[in-house]
Amino acid sequence: MKKEILYSFSSYLRNEFKIEGYRFGKQGDLAEPAACIVGAMRGNEYQQLFICSLLVKRLKELEAEGAIVGENQILVVPCVNNFSMNVRMKYWVSDNSDINRQFPGNFDGDTTSRLAAHLLDKTKGFRYGIHFPSFYRKGDFIPHVRMPSTGKESVSLANLFGLPYVVTSKHRNYDKTTLNYNWQINGTDAFSIYSGATGNLDEPLAKQAVSSVLRFLTRMGILKYNCHNGYIASIIEEEDMVQVRTKAAGFFRRFAGVNEEVQRGQMLGEILDPYEGNRLAEVRSNVNGIVFYAANQPTILENATAFQIIKKLHE
């Protein structure tokens, strides 16, 4: 293993900012850049950093055992935004900007744009790119691989992680500013892995995410590693999932969890008056299916998405 600083700059009244990377396998000019794994870009992505720390530990052990095949090199970048993480801010501390909305970046731009430019420069050219982002909705969800449509995505490769679902989504304008998209347009097969947690450490889910990465690297001939086969992934389009929305605002009491099979008309939760405690509205399923996402905040707004449900086929 070789630990190195990928990018750094001095900061007024703070220590030097560093993006650190860990290279495994072949070093030097003869190395074949096989896989790059990037963890936390936001200051609340503790689970994503935890997953990468477990990967660094396991890859160090596997490298010592001679398990990295041939000239392959693996780069792990556990954290891109430790400044925000240290002070418990989600976005960049000085201007509240989101690094994963700054790609491809500008070497002469604002701070987060420079960070994005240098990170992309150091990580492009790998055959495979794996990013652990946080889910765009606050709540619980089933672990999955997400593939934004760029015209270059590979659902068949995404299946090889062995996670329960591969989710595809239509192209959105802001996708062009993400690491995943810019990896893809620069020739890297890119995947976003959503582990099921963000602001807290969930060790079973983290270990599942680590296993999925090691499984993928093994199946692509980068590692020699005996692992469980995992799931045969179901391919779903995000636009086909059914949104269950609230009819009132207030305290949210949830009765159904993720990966739970529900029936049409089943009561999934209720909204309570925060002052008087009486029920303001029921939250009921409008289809038969499996809960993919469930909000978990104490309060919820009217017309907010409380659940996403994978609708049963032939419904």
Side-chain angles (χ1 to χ4, degrees):
M1 180 187 81
K2 179 184 177 183
K3 181 180 178 181
E4 64 182 79
I5 297 173
L6 301 178
Y7 178 60
S8 68
F9 62 81
S10 58
S11 176
Y12 179 62
L13 296 180
R14 300 195 70 175
N15 292 333
E16 182 183 17
F17 175 84
K18 302 175 184 177
I19 299 177
E20 296 178 314
Y22 296 80
R23 294 186 190 272
F24 301 89
K26 186 72 174 181
Q27 305 291 332
D29 295 337
L30 297 179
E32 175 65 31
C36 178
I37 301 154
V38 174
M41 283 199 205
R42 295 168 177 164
N44 65 337
E45 292 178 344
Y46 298 101
Q47 174 80 346
Q48 288 70 21
L49 176 57
F50 182 49
I51 292 167
C52 284
S53 71
L54 296 180
L55 268 171
V56 168
K57 182 175 183 292
R58 191 70 184 103
L59 286 170
K60 186 176 180 180
E61 296 167 349
L62 290 169
E63 183 181 46
E65 297 168 6
I68 300 178
V69 176
E71 311 299 307
N72 288 307
Q73 184 183 97
I74 302 167
L75 172 64
V76 181
V77 185
C79 185
V80 182
N81 192 357
N82 51 39
F83 269 15
S84 297
M85 190 167 283
N86 289 342
V87 295
R88 297 182 178 273
M89 287 183 62
K90 182 177 181 180
Y91 299 126
W92 187 251
V93 289
S94 59
D95 61 4
N96 209 37
S97 58
D98 185 354
I99 297 172
N100 203 32
R101 296 292 182 271
Q102 299 293 327
F103 290 94
N106 180 351
F107 291 106
D108 298 315
D110 293 334
T111 304
T112 48
S113 184
R114 295 201 309 273
L115 289 178
H118 283 280
L119 180 65
L120 183 63
D121 181 62
K122 294 292 186 179
T123 62
K124 68 182 180 182
F126 283 82
R127 292 202 305 273
Y128 307 109
I130 300 168
H131 179 211
F132 287 102
S134 50
F135 201 52
Y136 65 98
R137 287 194 173 106
K138 291 183 179 179
D140 303 321
F141 54 90
I142 298 175
H144 61 282
V145 185
R146 185 169 288 262
M147 304 284 295
S149 297
T150 63
K152 298 184 178 182
E153 71 277 6
S154 175
V155 173
S156 60
L157 286 179
N159 276 322
L160 301 181
F161 286 92
L163 288 174
Y165 293 95
V166 173
V167 179
T168 62
S169 59
K170 291 180 180 178
H171 174 74
R172 297 162 292 195
N173 287 335
Y174 66 77
D175 285 332
K176 292 184 177 180
T177 63
T178 64
L179 176 61
N180 185 304
Y181 180 91
N182 282 272
W183 265 343
Q184 288 195 46
I185 64 172
N186 280 282
T188 295
D189 284 316
F191 311 91
S192 294
I193 307 295
Y194 290 81
S195 74
T198 298
N200 60 291
L201 303 187
D202 188 310
E203 190 165 352
L205 288 177
K207 288 181 176 179
Q208 182 188 33
V210 169
S211 294
S212 73
V213 172
L214 297 179
R215 183 183 299 115
F216 177 81
L217 296 179
T218 299
R219 289 172 170 173
M220 301 315 300
I222 299 168
L223 280 181
K224 292 183 291 185
Y225 178 72
N226 293 321
C227 56
H228 187 274
N229 286 333
Y231 296 88
I232 299 174
S234 298
I235 313 298
I236 55 175
E237 294 186 16
E238 185 169 33
E239 291 75 19
D240 290 341
M241 283 192 274
V242 175
Q243 313 279 333
V244 179
R245 299 185 180 275
T246 56
K247 296 180 180 179
F251 284 133
F252 177 51
R253 179 185 287 170
R254 196 178 87 183
F255 302 145
V258 296
N259 216 19
E260 184 175 327
E261 188 170 342
V262 297
Q263 305 300 318
R264 183 192 300 271
Q266 179 177 333
M267 192 159 154
L268 307 179
E270 62 182 3
I271 311 298
L272 304 177
D273 189 308
Y275 286 178
E276 300 180 13
N278 56 291
R279 182 190 294 169
L280 295 176
E282 297 176 346
V283 182
R284 293 185 178 273
S285 176
N286 43 14
V287 292
N288 298 329
I290 296 171
V291 177
F292 177 81
Y293 160 83
N296 65 2
Q297 303 301 302
T299 60
I300 199 165
L301 297 174
E302 183 178 359
N303 203 37
T305 298
F307 298 90
Q308 275 182 300
I309 298 177
I310 304 169
K311 186 170 62 173
K312 281 187 175 180
L313 294 176
H314 314 301
E315 171 76 354

